[in-house]
Amino acid sequence: MKLLHIGDLHIGKKVKGFSLMEDQLYVLQQVIDTASEQKVDGIIIAGDIYDSSNPSNEAVNSFDKFISDIHSLGISCYAVSGNHDSVYRIAFGSNIMAKENVYFAKKYSGKIKPIEADKNTNIWLLPFMRPVDVREYHSDFPVGSYEEMMQSVIKNLDIDKKKTNILVAHQFITVSGKAPETCDSETVSLGTLDNIDVSNFEKFDYVALGHIHRPQSMGKDTIRYAGSPLKYSFSEKNDKKSMVLIDTTGKKIKTELIPFKPLRDMKEFTGTFNELSKMPETEDYARIVLKEENYISDIKHKLENNFKNIMEIVYDNAYTKTNNVIETAILQKKQTPAELFADFYEMQNNKKLDKERSRIVKEVFENMEGAE
Ligand SMILES: [Mn+2]
């Protein structure tokens, strides 16, 4: 079987107020084109289909077109919901659509049956889950952590080892405690709370993961985050987004990364105003790092001749450098709001807050606390 693995579409996502719908339709079309060129048998969508559990009409309409296009190719679709999706809304009509080989994972209810993708291949669809979603169905197993949740779910699967088993999941996976490379556009919890070690997936021949937006394998080639099809933050400016082509026909599963070409890239441009205004015109989403000591009025407007889609402008100069140092210093100290204000006053005015002013500031903060 040949399958395409994608994930974290976040259809309907806005970045810095820009709708990316046109960019999203552009990359979804590449999925359809690749599926057709490569003659794949199905497309796996590993969660975060939408950016919101209550997606906009436009987002729903775009996804509807996408699954209709997949269906028109005469191939299957295997999709799960992510932490951004509503599992109930994603699974709406799933029994009916399954008759047309469009499969959506339902809310977990204690038992999962595989989808027999062909006579040798079973595909297991797990929606994004929290321990609370599983606990009531597995009272015989401790389900405190995400790891225990996954162990109890997998323990309960009737895995036929003679077949190729593919798992689709949307979770935070680690390799012996090592976390995947994350970026700013994901919603992941801090710490080790939702970690699930990769060793729990030994029974599967391929694990199609979603959740992390940077494409990467987890310990071995056949356990992968597809990554998002587009950059959704400037922390991803150097990322190469791709879909995974999986071939299960040989003895060993083969994977190949097929790059996405964005309609507009997301890039950072650094320079003085003079340098920037000599740069070639671009439609790419731009973060401008302006190396100017003095502020330039109406700068966005002035730069828009060259940069058609400016998402962010920041100054890199002596003032912003010291400010960053000051901000970090403030964050490291534990101070009351009144003490913080006194520090700020001193910074701005080069003299200490006098007694009378201190009294007023203290009173203001006390009143604010009282009002809460
Ligand atoms: Mn995501």
Side-chain angles (χ1 to χ4, degrees), residues 67-68 92 107 120 138-139 141 162 174 189 212 230 236 261 282 314 321 325 347 357:
I67 53 168
S68 304
F92 173 79
K107 170 97 169 64
N120 301 314
H138 297 263
S139 48
F141 199 97
K162 290 194 289 296
T174 50
S189 12
I212 301 302
L230 287 170
E236 293 155 73
K261 292 176 201 76
T282 179
V314 293
K321 278 198 184 97
V325 174
M347 232 180 301
R357 289 191 165 88

Side-chain angles (χ1 to χ4, degrees), residues 167-184:
L167 177 75
V168 186
H170 189 94
Q171 304 287 348
F172 193 83
I173 309 303
T174 50
V175 182
S176 314
K178 192 172 173 283
E181 281 181 45
T182 57
C183 46
D184 292 344

